Structures are given as structure tokens and as C-alpha cells.
């Protein structure tokens, strides 16, 4: 755990020193939400509010998590001898989840100011948001690790990431819409369990595939 904590701290320090990616993501997030606000004149239905929120979060997460392994290019051989593969990928998964969760909270805050806030059941909505962030961050971290070893990284991110995130996105949007429609946790616990299971499968696949990718 000490190595994993140190790797998480390292990613935090690197992102803090290289503030351009963080500033770019926040600017992208704010400009996208503002564009949606201007397009809909500040008024949207619950269905459109829900879909727009997850679409904005999806494309923001791609830009945020895509750099997960790309920025490690100069340190790849160093970490190969210093840490074990499962320590590296676990640290990346934890950091990507925390990073995306912070982005999701900021996105929800800005989104609520400009486009309103139809959320009533906050605990269930936030639970679904956390599960969605786990799925998105895990999927894009795994794809970033695979694309890191290829020449066309941006293309590989799109080709490999899209099929993986489809079940996460469908379940998250469906759960979110039901929550906004007044459903309580007991009524959608089956969908929540399914979303959690998909997250576990993606994380398990990441642990299985990453050692082979790292050794190559």
C-alpha cells in the first residue's frame, strides 16, 4: 500500500506541476456547459438535462483520463523495475477515479447553475454518479494502458474505448433518468447492482490485461 500511495501522490504532483492539462479540461468543461446553456436558452426538460449531463461528462472523462499512461512514456522503464504491474495499475485506477469524481462534482455544480437542478434524491443520484465514474475511469484507464504501446494512440482510445463504455453509459443514463423521475433506491437496486457488476468486470479485465501490456 505504501508504494501505491506514493504512486498516487506522484500523479498528483505531476498534474499539479503541469497545470495546463487541468486548466484545459476545466475550460473545456465550462465552455461545453455554457454552449449547451446558450443553445437551449437556459431551459431544458428532465430527459435532455440528463442526457446532456452524461454526454458532457463522457467527453470530459476521455480528455482527462487519456493522459493516464501517455505522460509516463519517459518513466516507463524506470517503473518497470521499481514497482509491480498490479501496484501501478491499482494506483492509476484509484487516481483516475478520484480525478474524474472531482470533475463530475464540478460539472454538476456548473451545470446546475446554468441549466437548473431537477435532482431531488441526492444520495441515490450521487451513488449512481460514483458508480458511473468508476466505470468510465476504469475503462479509459485500461484503454489508455493499451493505447500507450501503440503508435496511433488517439485512434486506439476511440476504437477500444467506445465498446467498453456502452454498457456503463446506458446503465448510468437509465438509472439517472429513473432517479430524476422519482424512483427510490429500492426500485432500481437491480440496475444499480448490474452497473456495479459491470464496473467490477472492467476492473478485473484491467488487472488481467495490464501485466501483459506492461511487459511488452
Amino acid at each position: 500500500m505504501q508504494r501505491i500511495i506514493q504512486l498516487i501522490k506522484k500523479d498528483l504532483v505531476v498534474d499539479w506541476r503541469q497545470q495546463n492539462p487541468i486548466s484545459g479540461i476545466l475550460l473545456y468543461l465550462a465552455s461545453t456547459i455554457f454552449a449547451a446553456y446558450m443553445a437551449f436558452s437556459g431551459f431544458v426538460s428532465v430527459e435532455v438535462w440528463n442526457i446532456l449531463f452524461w454526454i458532457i461528462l463522457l467527453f470530459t472523462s476521455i480528455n482527462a483520463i487519456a493522459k493516464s499512461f501517455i505522460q509516463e512514456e519517459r518513466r516507463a522503464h524506470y517503473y518497470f523495475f521499481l514497482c509491480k504491474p498490479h501496484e501501478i495499475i491499482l494506483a492509476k485506477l484509484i487516481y483516475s477515479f478520484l480525478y474524474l469524481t472531482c470533475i463530475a462534482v464540478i460539472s454538476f455544480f456548473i451545470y446546475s447553475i446554468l441549466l437548473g437542478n431537477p435532482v431531488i434524491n441526492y444520495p441515490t443520484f450521487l451513488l449512481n454518479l460514483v458508480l458511473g465514474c468508476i466505470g468510465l475511469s476504469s475503462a479509459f484507464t485500461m484503454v489508455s494502458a493499451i493505447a500507450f504501446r501503440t503508435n496511433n494512440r488517439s485512434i486506439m482510445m476511440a476504437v477500444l474505448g467506445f465498446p467498453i463504455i456502452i454498457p456503463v453509459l446506458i446503465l448510468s443514463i437509465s438509472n439517472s433518468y429513473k432517479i430524476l423521475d422519482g424512483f427510490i433506491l429500492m426500485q432500481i437496486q437491480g440496475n444499480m447492482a448490474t452497473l456495479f457488476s459491470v464496473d467490477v468486470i472492467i476492473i478485473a479485465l484491467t488487472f488481467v490485461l495490464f501485466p501483459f501490456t506492461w511487459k511488452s
Side-chain angles (χ1 to χ4, degrees), residues 38 128 131 152 176:
M38 295 296 293
N128 180 65
L131 291 177
N152 300 319
S176 182

Side-chain angles (χ1 to χ4, degrees), residues 26 64 75 86 115 176:
L26 294 177
R75 310 182 187 92
H86 70 272
L115 293 170
S176 182

Side-chain angles (χ1 to χ4, degrees), residues 104-139:
V105 172
I106 296 173
S107 175
F108 179 73
F109 178 73
I110 301 174
Y111 199 75
S112 300
I113 293 175
L114 296 180
L115 293 170
N117 183 8
V119 180
I120 299 176
N121 190 351
Y122 279 95
T124 308
F125 183 84
L126 292 177
L127 176 60
N128 180 65
L129 182 61
V130 168
L131 291 177
C133 288
I134 292 175
L136 292 176
S137 61
S138 302

Side-chain angles (χ1 to χ4, degrees), residues 1-14 87 90-96 98:
M1 284 301 299
Q2 186 176 2
R3 289 183 179 178
I4 294 172
I5 293 173
Q6 291 300 321
L7 289 171
I8 294 174
K9 288 182 179 179
K10 181 268 304 177
D11 284 335
L12 181 61
V13 170
V14 170
E87 295 173 343
L90 182 57
K92 288 291 185 182
L93 287 172
I94 295 174
Y95 183 76
S96 297
L98 296 176

Side-chain angles (χ1 to χ4, degrees), residues 18 32-33 37 40 64 70 79 84 89 129 143-144 182 184 190 200:
Q18 301 175 358
T32 306
I33 297 176
Y37 166 76
F40 290 95
I70 294 176
Y79 287 120
K84 297 179 181 179
I89 194 60
L129 182 61
V143 173
S144 176
I184 61 175
V200 172

Side-chain angles (χ1 to χ4, degrees), residues 18 38 47-48 68 87 121 153 155 164:
Q18 301 175 358
M38 295 296 293
E47 296 87 350
V48 176
S68 181
E87 295 173 343
N121 190 351
R153 295 169 182 172
I155 297 177
I164 299 175

Side-chain angles (χ1 to χ4, degrees), residues 75-87:
R75 310 182 187 92
H77 299 292
Y78 175 69
Y79 287 120
F80 179 81
F81 292 104
L82 181 64
C83 302
K84 297 179 181 179
H86 70 272
E87 295 173 343

